[in-house]
Amino acid sequence: MSSPAMMLRRFCCFSTAVSPSTSSSSSAPTAKKKPLVFLGSPQVSATVLDALFNASSSPDSPFEVAAIVTQPPARRNRGKKIMPSPVAQHALNRGFSPELILTPERAGEDSFLYTLRALNPDICITAAYGNILPSKFLKIPPLGTVNIHPSLLPLYRGAAPVQRAIQDGVKETGVSLAFTVRALDAGPVIASQRWEVDDRIKAPDLLDLLFSEGSKLLIRELPSLLDGSAQAKAKPQDETKATLAPKVGLEPEPSLP
């Protein structure tokens, strides 16, 4: 069987030189800090990753980013050049080891799950990762997997919560920090932050704002996430109030009963 180090290299589909002067992260977790794995892909996810890098760089930080999981390199922009995801590129720019950037096609691949188990993360944090997490994944981190979702759950569960909220003309939305379960965006909510919606704001700007607020919410709640107390205080969602937010271009599904 391949070693964890070999598996990490196998999943890294690109390499970029990194500056030795950067200190936002290290290539491997230390014994004194709890390993955290971050999952995200688009540019808005980089805001969350930055917050984690900055928090982990503190000498008394109880955690560090052990690995990053993101979408594989793809053809982007007008030139259709194969490029890493925005999160992967941002991590490389911050000096994160390319060997610890994992890019599985699916989060349920056995080889990827083997690598994740070898990393032994205490907790996983997701922010717009864009891949379904199977039960085998969710069972790995003992402190759970926590997602930043740009809506006031249980409202607007799904891929396009911000776009659907603007389409509906809501006056208020927000961002939620919730444990990930197999059901779509249905896990217990740890904390949320409300945000008044300006009727002139565009979806991309509101998305940026909500992930920025979500980053602050995450850092505020990290102590409870890392000591396990968040699991006790998290509140189940009210299923009678749940609504769905499918991708734009698809007909909205009816609200859940």
Side-chain angles (χ1 to χ4, degrees):
M1 182 175 291
S2 301
S3 69
M6 290 175 65
M7 295 299 297
L8 289 170
R9 286 193 290 271
R10 186 179 302 169
F11 273 99
C12 185
C13 299
F14 49 88
S15 60
T16 300
V18 297
S19 170
S21 64
T22 55
S23 59
S24 59
S25 57
S26 62
S27 60
T30 65
K32 296 181 181 179
K33 295 187 177 185
K34 293 183 177 181
L36 176 153
V37 171
F38 175 76
L39 299 90
S41 297
Q43 189 61 45
V44 290
S45 307
T47 301
V48 182
L49 182 58
D50 246 0
L52 289 171
F53 276 157
N54 294 338
S56 67
S57 67
S58 172
D60 58 351
S61 170
F63 80 97
E64 72 176 359
V65 180
I68 293 168
V69 184
T70 189
Q71 294 289 335
R75 297 188 183 277
R76 307 180 195 281
N77 304 325
R78 292 182 178 179
K80 299 300 181 182
K81 182 180 179 181
I82 295 179
M83 299 175 63
S85 75
V87 156
Q89 187 61 60
H90 185 78
L92 292 168
N93 292 344
R94 285 290 304 255
F96 196 77
S97 170
E99 290 192 350
L100 294 174
I101 300 175
L102 313 182
T103 60
E105 292 286 346
R106 295 178 296 106
E109 294 174 1
D110 289 340
S111 52
F112 165 67
L113 293 175
Y114 170 76
T115 301
L116 187 66
R117 291 189 189 98
L119 288 166
N120 196 28
D122 280 89
I123 191 169
C124 293
I125 303 295
T126 68
Y129 170 45
N131 210 332
I132 295 174
L133 302 179
S135 297
K136 289 182 179 180
F137 178 104
L138 298 176
K139 291 177 181 177
I140 293 175
L143 295 177
T145 296
V146 175
N147 181 48
I148 296 177
H149 186 74
S151 82
L152 294 174
L153 292 171
L155 301 178
Y156 297 107
R157 295 175 177 175
V162 171
Q163 294 93 327
R164 295 298 182 184
I166 288 180
Q167 282 181 357
D168 291 347
V170 301
K171 300 300 181 184
E172 183 183 64
T173 185
V175 60
S176 301
L177 197 63
F179 284 107
T180 300
V181 296
R182 284 292 293 140
L184 179 65
D185 297 325
V189 175
I190 302 156
S192 60
Q193 180 69 49
R194 295 181 177 275
W195 190 271
E196 184 176 343
V197 179
D198 185 326
D199 58 9
R200 294 169 296 179
I201 198 168
K202 302 298 183 183
D205 296 328
L206 182 55
L207 193 66
D208 287 344
L209 286 169
L210 292 178
F211 271 102
S212 178
E213 290 300 307
S215 301
K216 298 173 187 176
L217 192 64
L218 172 64
I219 299 305
R220 190 184 79 193
E221 295 295 332
L222 264 178
S224 69
L225 294 172
L226 294 171
D227 67 18
S229 61
Q231 295 179 349
K233 74 175 184 178
K235 298 180 179 180
Q237 296 183 37
D238 184 348
E239 292 294 329
T240 65
K241 297 180 180 179
T243 60
L244 298 181
K247 289 182 180 180
V248 173
L250 299 177
E251 287 299 320
E253 299 181 35
S255 299
L256 296 177

